[in-house]
Amino acid sequence: MPALLTWWRLDLGELAPDAHADAVDAVASDLRRRLAEEHRRYHTDRHLLEMVLALDELEEEGEIGHRDGAVARVAAWFHDAVYLPQSPPGANEADSADLAVRALHSLGVGEDDVSAIRQLVLATEEHRVPDAPGLAAAFHDADLWILSAPDDRFDEYCAQVRDEYAAVPDQAYATGRTAVLEPFLRRDHVYATRYARRAWGERARLNLGRELSRLAA
């Protein structure tokens, strides 16, 4: 997807202006190879593109500034870089964060930005609602944009996640997936930013309710 590579180059130009163009592209190539792994169905470059577009929307609506947008988009590239469905809880996120630190250091990204990206990647394990607006809140909401997608895309997402866990028996999958999704409906708000709550919140609750009903059937 050419748009993704264009964003990547622009964002790394913001965070690491002295990085060599070939090195920047090499990291992107490795990440895209990872996102194209055979076992992935949802956690692919399509999810990355949807997340980047959601971050761009949140930036346009004033939830984050331009530079935080660059940090968030770079973090989005890394947040599913390591994805093995059979891994224990937190392992994919920890390994993805470690990869981000190594790659970003090699490009000369500053320590504050590397630390921020590492924390954003690690936070995707539990998807807790951040306490304050800003970078973490926007990243949280963009990663969960899919919950508010149009019906056909949301249903496709649900099927893709099921395919990624095809080795898990139906009842065990339904139990585990319900445990992941149900807490979102118990929250006061699915999303953290004011814009996402207003623009995406109602649709997310409808989609979640529909999927939970299917899992319970």
Side-chain angles (χ1 to χ4, degrees):
M1 297 183 184
L4 280 174
L5 186 55
T6 298
W7 257 311
W8 169 260
R9 289 168 174 167
L10 290 171
D11 291 333
L12 264 296
E14 181 83 22
L15 303 186
D18 296 329
H20 194 284
D22 288 347
V24 170
D25 285 357
V27 173
S29 179
D30 175 63
L31 292 171
R32 294 190 72 178
R33 176 189 61 78
R34 292 171 180 274
L35 292 171
E37 290 167 338
E38 187 67 25
H39 62 276
R40 296 175 185 251
R41 296 295 182 271
Y42 171 65
H43 295 87
T44 67
D45 59 0
R46 184 179 182 186
H47 168 49
L48 171 59
L49 178 61
E50 289 171 337
M51 189 171 177
V52 166
L53 290 171
L55 286 165
D56 192 53
E57 187 173 343
L58 291 166
E59 184 177 333
E60 288 180 357
E61 294 296 329
E63 294 291 348
I64 49 173
H66 173 72
R67 199 171 191 291
D68 276 352
V71 170
R73 284 186 294 271
V74 169
W77 277 79
F78 286 100
H79 84 291
D80 288 323
V82 178
Y83 180 73
L84 295 170
Q86 69 271 26
S87 293
N92 287 326
E93 293 80 5
D95 290 344
S96 295
D98 288 345
L99 176 66
V101 170
R102 294 194 302 272
L104 295 172
H105 278 157
S106 75
L107 296 175
V109 176
E111 196 59 48
D112 287 349
D113 289 330
V114 172
S115 178
I117 289 167
R118 177 179 179 274
Q119 291 302 317
L120 291 174
V121 172
L122 291 174
T124 61
E125 178 191 353
E126 296 183 339
H127 289 112
R128 292 180 180 173
V129 178
D131 294 331
L135 176 58
F139 193 79
H140 166 278
D141 288 0
D143 193 24
L144 296 181
W145 169 86
I146 191 65
L147 301 181
S148 70
D151 288 358
D152 57 346
R153 175 59 183 131
F154 179 79
D155 291 346
E156 182 184 30
Y157 148 72
C158 293
Q160 288 169 337
V161 173
R162 181 66 183 105
D163 284 348
E164 289 181 339
Y165 287 87
V168 179
D170 287 344
Q171 187 55 56
Y173 178 80
T175 299
R177 189 65 176 155
T178 296
V180 170
L181 297 180
E182 204 167 45
F184 291 120
L185 281 182
R186 295 199 197 108
R187 298 176 177 180
D188 291 338
H189 301 283
V190 174
Y191 295 109
T193 64
R194 286 172 294 180
Y195 174 76
R197 289 175 180 177
R198 183 175 70 251
W200 307 342
E202 182 178 359
R203 170 57 62 183
R205 288 188 176 278
L206 290 171
N207 282 336
L208 285 165
R210 196 154 46 84
E211 175 63 356
L212 287 167
S213 294
R214 286 193 294 243
L215 292 167

